[in-house]
Amino acid sequence: MPLVLSGRKYARVVRASIRNRVTELNGSPPGLAVVIVGDNAASKVYVAAKEKACEKVGFHSSVIALSGETTEADILRLIDELNADDSVHGILVQLPLPDHISVDRVASAVMPEKDVDGFHPVNVGRLWRGEDGLFPCTPSGIVGLLHHHDIVLSGKNALIVGRSNIVGKPMAALLLRENCTVTVAHSRTVDLMKQCRKADILIAAVGRAEMIKRNWIKPGAVIVDVGMNRNSDGKLVGDVDYDDVFDVCSAITPVPGGVGPLTIAFLLENTFKARTNLLAK
Ligand code: NDP
């Protein structure tokens, strides 16, 4: 039987640790400002979840909701104000943004020390250079989860399927820092199944329901399924066919309850870290 890597349980451990550290702080609690632009229903749900998570660990949070017609200049002005506000330690701009706003310009406007999403080019550079910084929440959470379960990473062949800036690429950088031998696959990869079969650690971050099957898996592999998809029955499933691969792998994250809960838990970690680093400056 493989080890089921429960992100839900691990996220609880992370939140409890943060809550304890908050009670030991002198001075103001960590503060997170979340900017949401437009009327995206899923974004509203995510933002509400982030607000609630902040409250539960004793952070101060504020949500700034702007209309979908807000100009890029107005958003950049707001970010400048938040950068200058000492009670705000972390700034998160909820994606997606309306088409007339450049995600890159907005991400670059957040000062690196408050960039709790880890999207600023300075933090991206620090990540790849092996320096300290704020790094994307989902991949950071995955590394935390693997460590929590004492899964050996050093020297292992890791394959990441997906090369997005949010998951795939930072995941590759973090696993390289863990001394994995890292391969990144994507939609142009030739013979993906063959690549998967070489992987001791397989991270699927594609967004295609249950595309990875049993005969793609190296026996004993550790599988982390980042994908969140609806199958034809409307059920939430990952990129990996969980039931099909279950008894071939040595460990696997379920969907839901695997990677999903880690993202907000590590947003809280990043916000705590941002506060600590800003006060140390
Ligand atoms: P993107 O759409 O930005 O990236 C998907 C990647 O998958 C791309 O690099 C793409 O390749 C690659 N890809 C697409 N089709 C194939 C294929 N047939 N074979 C191999 N590679 C393929 O997605 P994200 O990285 O943002 O998210 C990936 C999944 O993870 C989604 O299901 C998303 O919902 C989920 N997710 C979950 C999170 C959580 O649980 N907290 C957080 C973030 C994401 P190419 O670059 O060539 O186009």
Side-chain angles (χ1 to χ4, degrees):
M1 282 284 275
L3 181 63
V4 175
L5 306 169
S6 168
R8 193 168 286 145
K9 285 187 190 156
Y10 173 56
R12 254 185 242 134
V13 172
V14 172
R15 286 195 304 266
S17 151
I18 295 172
R19 223 177 2 252
N20 285 340
R21 281 177 276 154
V22 170
T23 58
E24 287 162 8
L25 285 175
N26 288 322
S28 62
L32 176 69
V34 180
V35 180
I36 176 169
V37 188
D39 229 10
N40 184 308
S43 292
K44 285 183 181 169
V45 172
Y46 292 137
V47 167
K50 287 166 185 173
E51 213 181 357
K52 196 169 154 202
C54 281
E55 194 185 311
K56 281 188 166 171
V57 294
F59 287 10
H60 179 260
S61 76
S62 55
V63 175
I64 301 141
L66 303 172
S67 98
E69 276 77 55
T70 309
T71 64
E72 187 178 296
D74 282 339
I75 295 173
L76 295 179
R77 241 188 317 274
L78 170 67
I79 291 174
D80 277 347
E81 285 168 24
L82 296 171
N83 281 337
D85 184 337
D86 288 342
S87 69
V88 172
H89 306 107
I91 303 169
L92 181 151
V93 181
Q94 184 65 43
L95 300 181
L97 289 169
D99 289 344
H100 65 279
I101 296 165
S102 156
V103 174
D104 286 347
R105 272 194 292 274
V106 167
S108 302
V110 175
M111 63 191 273
E113 291 77 7
K114 296 191 179 187
D115 167 38
V116 284
D117 259 337
F119 294 163
H120 191 287
V122 165
N123 281 317
V124 176
R126 286 176 179 153
L127 172 60
W128 284 98
R129 286 171 59 90
E131 296 169 4
D132 192 23
L134 294 169
F135 306 141
C137 305
T138 307
S140 298
I142 291 170
V143 172
L145 179 71
L146 296 174
H147 281 315
H148 180 68
H149 287 281
D150 294 325
I151 288 173
V152 176
L153 297 174
S154 183
K156 300 292 182 182
N157 284 333
L159 175 73
I160 299 141
V161 192
R163 57 174 165 182
S164 71
N165 289 327
I166 298 174
V167 187
K169 283 183 201 151
M171 190 75 250
L174 286 170
L175 289 178
L176 201 53
R177 288 170 72 130
E178 296 292 328
N179 301 316
C180 287
T181 302
V182 177
T183 306
V184 182
H186 44 77
S187 66
R188 311 293 169 89
T189 296
V190 175
D191 203 346
L192 180 60
M193 178 166 103
K194 191 171 155 197
Q195 293 296 336
C196 289
R197 284 194 65 88
K198 289 191 271 186
D200 303 308
I201 314 277
L202 174 63
I203 315 274
V206 182
R208 282 174 180 253
E210 299 177 323
M211 75 174 245
I212 296 179
K213 304 289 183 189
R214 181 186 182 85
N215 57 342
W216 296 36
I217 305 298
K218 178 176 175 178
V222 172
I223 301 176
V224 176
D225 192 351
V226 188
M228 290 202 297
N229 319 286
R230 297 272 166 200
N231 69 7
S232 49
D233 302 331
K235 188 180 161 216
L236 188 63
V237 295
D239 293 339
V240 178
D241 189 334
Y242 187 86
D243 293 337
D244 198 34
V245 307
F246 192 72
D247 58 0
V248 189
C249 59
S250 63
I252 186 164
T253 59
V255 178
V259 173
L262 302 177
T263 305
I264 293 186
F266 274 73
L267 170 67
L268 301 173
E269 266 305 353
N270 273 354
T271 305
F272 190 92
K273 184 175 181 182
R275 180 201 184 270
T276 311
N277 289 351
L278 278 162
L279 291 189
K281 278 188 92 183

